[in-house]
Amino acid sequence: QITPEDSAFVALTMRQVMNVPEKTTSRKALYSPRANSDDWGSSSEEEDTALWRADDSEQAVRARLGSCMLEARVLNQPSMQSKLEKSSVYGQAMALPQLARSANWPKGLVSITGRTFLYLLLNCFLQVTLLCQIYKEEMVMDKFGGQMNLCDFGAFMSRCPDSPDCIGPAGTKYTPSRLYDWDAWVTRTFVRDSLEKLFPDKTAEIAEKVDPGEYGIEDYWCRLTAVFVFFLAIMEEILNLFRAGLLLWRLPSESQSWISYEGELPDDPDVAIEDKGEVKLRIAGMSRAWKLFNIVFVMLPKLLILKLTMHAGTAFLMETAGIENVIVNCVALTFLLSIDEMIFEFLNDRPTKAMMEELEEYVHEQEVSEMHKDERMSTSASIMHFFPFRLMVVVLLTIFSVCDYYLKHCVIRENGSWFGSFISVPMQLGFVREADVG
């Protein structure tokens, strides 16, 4: 919304939009259709007002005023706002202790604060457990099953049959009709091997007539697109983490009250206050000890979980061969990022969520100065608004994660393509007991 302090900026914007000289101070003159004429100043304010009423419609005036307000609203937005996640257990863990501290640690708020950190531990346990299970599937169970890393197997089918990329893990050349995902390929290979063992005298005939095909990716660009969409979902979490860190940086490093009463104080201290709507909850300063506590026990775990999510999610998507499977897995991975919000929404009671909703954001002086710029958007500012910084961050994260996957799990060929790195046969198929180690 446009505040009264923005009136000078709006007037200046309208003058520049309508080419009105800055010397005029008449609000009615700003709406005059004679503003763009060469004989400005030749008529009185009453004539301009009359011309406006006669020649200009209310819709045109509202359109010009709306365009100025829209530009003012665009410029009034700070480049990066410091804020708290009000619908997440992470934001709840940062806000509830400060509310309890401001109220001198009453029993009710202390119990809610303890329950908040219980939910935070539950969230970290669930996210880390699920991510570790994904890692276990990709790095342990698949290796016991003999599954090699997918890398670029079958990625460049258009180069076949003359390119070295056309050789699959079974040693035969790729064709569109012989391309399968891992489950189908390993089943077909098992059937062929079983027939050869059952009928050893017909090995040549079985090899000729039973073709298991080759294991490879169905669409290379679909897989990269899924990774990009996955990082689009992660971008919001990165921004929330950065906003919370910026908030801790900008907050005063002193213990200030987050609770205040805005109503009239009663003359008699024995009179009960019935209007509870005047209680305001707003983000204020906190001590350096509390800032350090939030960094170590709230922000650092979220950062580590976010890093683990990026690595596990990228490896999981890059190891998915089927088109439908990679799209479904991309959507399923975003579910892991919303566990903290589900815990906040479904496990908290209504009073706790009401306190988080009523908590007013902290506005820093730098944000206020950015919101009250008394100047029209310059060319450089227009370029800065046009340049998609967040899109570039998503693209860079996608490129970095994909390159990290190739370097860790693949081996480069002489022609520049990548194939799965070598895997060793397990020493034994059963689980190793601790007594047998060493």
Side-chain angles (χ1 to χ4, degrees):
Q1 298 180 356
I2 305 301
T3 60
E5 290 78 3
D6 296 323
S7 58
F9 170 75
V10 174
L12 176 62
T13 305
M14 293 190 66
R15 289 190 185 100
Q16 294 174 338
V17 170
M18 304 171 63
N19 296 325
V20 179
E22 295 186 8
K23 63 180 181 179
T24 179
T25 57
S26 173
R27 183 180 179 184
K28 296 179 180 179
L30 291 177
Y31 303 143
S32 174
R34 298 174 57 87
N36 297 327
S37 61
D38 297 333
D39 57 345
W40 176 267
S42 60
S43 59
S44 62
E45 179 179 331
E46 289 76 9
E47 293 175 352
D48 288 328
T49 305
L51 288 172
W52 167 59
R53 291 177 178 176
D55 300 337
D56 209 352
S57 64
E58 180 181 357
Q59 183 179 2
V61 175
R62 290 183 179 275
R64 290 200 297 269
L65 181 59
S67 64
C68 298
M69 291 293 185
L70 178 61
E71 187 172 2
R73 183 183 302 175
V74 171
L75 289 180
N76 276 348
Q77 296 298 325
S79 56
M80 178 57 69
Q81 187 177 6
S82 55
K83 60 185 300 185
L84 207 61
E85 294 182 77
K86 295 184 179 180
S87 60
S88 171
V89 69
Y90 292 106
Q92 180 184 352
M94 295 178 65
L96 265 298
Q98 303 307 313
L99 294 177
R101 174 189 59 81
S102 301
N104 294 323
W105 304 103
K107 294 182 179 179
L109 287 179
V110 169
S111 61
I112 294 177
T113 302
R115 185 180 61 189
T116 296
F117 284 100
L118 176 63
Y119 291 162
L120 180 63
L121 291 176
L122 176 63
N123 171 76
C124 295
F125 171 77
L126 291 177
Q127 288 186 323
V128 172
T129 300
L130 293 177
L131 291 172
C132 289
Q133 293 301 316
I134 294 177
Y135 256 124
K136 180 181 178 181
E137 175 69 21
E138 297 297 328
M139 305 302 170
V140 179
M141 305 308 297
D142 287 349
K143 300 302 182 289
F144 272 97
Q147 182 176 354
M148 69 291 297
N149 295 111
L150 182 57
C151 298
D152 285 347
F153 282 131
F156 305 103
M157 190 76 66
S158 58
R159 302 177 183 177
C160 297
D162 300 328
S163 175
D165 299 336
C166 298
I167 304 299
T172 60
K173 290 188 176 182
Y174 283 108
T175 59
S177 60
R178 300 180 64 250
L179 183 65
Y180 300 97
D181 60 8
W182 172 256
D183 293 334
W185 182 70
V186 73
T187 302
R188 295 170 66 92
T189 303
F190 170 77
V191 171
R192 184 200 61 184
D193 295 343
S194 300
L195 291 175
E196 290 179 351
K197 290 184 178 180
L198 289 174
F199 308 100
D201 55 330
K202 298 183 179 180
T203 301
E205 184 179 358
I206 293 174
E208 179 183 357
K209 296 183 178 180
V210 181
D211 182 17
E214 280 290 355
Y215 168 55
I217 183 173
E218 293 182 358
D219 192 285
Y220 177 80
W221 298 108
C222 179
R223 184 177 63 170
L224 290 183
T225 303
V227 177
F228 176 79
V229 174
F230 170 64
F231 276 97
L232 276 180
I234 289 183
M235 186 61 191
E236 181 63 25
E237 300 298 324
I238 296 176
L239 289 176
N240 290 333
L241 185 63
F242 183 80
R243 290 164 182 159
L246 190 62
L247 176 65
L248 292 180
W249 174 263
R250 290 178 172 177
L251 281 180
S253 298
E254 57 184 22
S255 297
Q256 297 178 349
S257 177
W258 288 37
I259 307 174
S260 64
Y261 179 74
E262 303 295 338
E264 295 183 1
L265 297 177
D267 297 332
D268 187 358
D270 297 330
V271 176
I273 299 177
E274 298 180 356
D275 187 8
K276 299 180 181 180
E278 298 296 334
V279 177
K280 300 297 181 182
L281 307 180
R282 59 172 59 92
I283 298 177
M286 67 174 67
S287 63
R288 289 187 175 88
W290 272 112
K291 289 184 177 181
L292 181 61
F293 178 87
N294 287 323
I295 292 174
V296 174
F297 294 100
V298 180
M299 296 185 62
L300 185 59
K302 182 174 183 178
L303 178 62
L304 296 178
I305 292 175
L306 195 60
K307 182 176 182 295
L308 183 61
T309 303
M310 289 189 291
H311 284 284
T314 303
F316 185 55
L317 292 176
M318 295 295 291
E319 292 293 335
T320 305
I323 294 178
E324 294 181 354
N325 292 334
V326 73
I327 295 176
V328 172
N329 292 341
C330 173
V331 177
L333 284 172
T334 59
F335 162 78
L336 296 176
L337 302 175
S338 61
I339 292 180
D340 58 321
E341 298 176 356
M342 288 192 299
I343 292 177
F344 176 86
E345 181 65 25
F346 301 122
L347 298 186
N348 280 312
D349 53 12
R350 182 56 194 169
T352 303
K353 291 188 285 187
M355 284 190 294
M356 294 300 298
E357 293 174 359
E358 297 174 3
L359 188 62
E360 298 180 1
E361 296 289 350
Y362 175 78
V363 181
H364 192 257
E365 296 179 357
Q366 181 178 353
E367 297 177 4
V368 175
S369 62
E370 293 182 10
M371 293 172 61
H372 298 288
K373 292 180 180 178
D374 192 16
E375 59 181 1
R376 187 171 171 81
M377 185 182 294
S378 61
T379 303
S380 59
S382 301
I383 296 176
M384 294 293 290
H385 277 76
F386 170 78
F387 190 77
F389 286 102
R390 297 183 183 182
L391 176 60
M392 293 302 300
V393 173
V394 174
V395 172
L396 291 177
L397 286 176
T398 304
I399 295 175
F400 174 80
S401 299
V402 172
C403 292
D404 181 70
Y405 164 80
Y406 277 112
L407 293 175
K408 289 183 178 180
H409 305 289
C410 308
V411 178
I412 190 170
R413 290 172 172 169
E414 295 180 356
N415 61 340
S417 62
W418 299 81
F419 66 96
S421 58
F422 300 100
I423 58 175
S424 57
V425 180
M427 297 178 60
Q428 64 183 62
L429 298 179
F431 291 96
V432 179
R433 296 179 303 174
E434 293 184 359
D436 298 335
V437 178

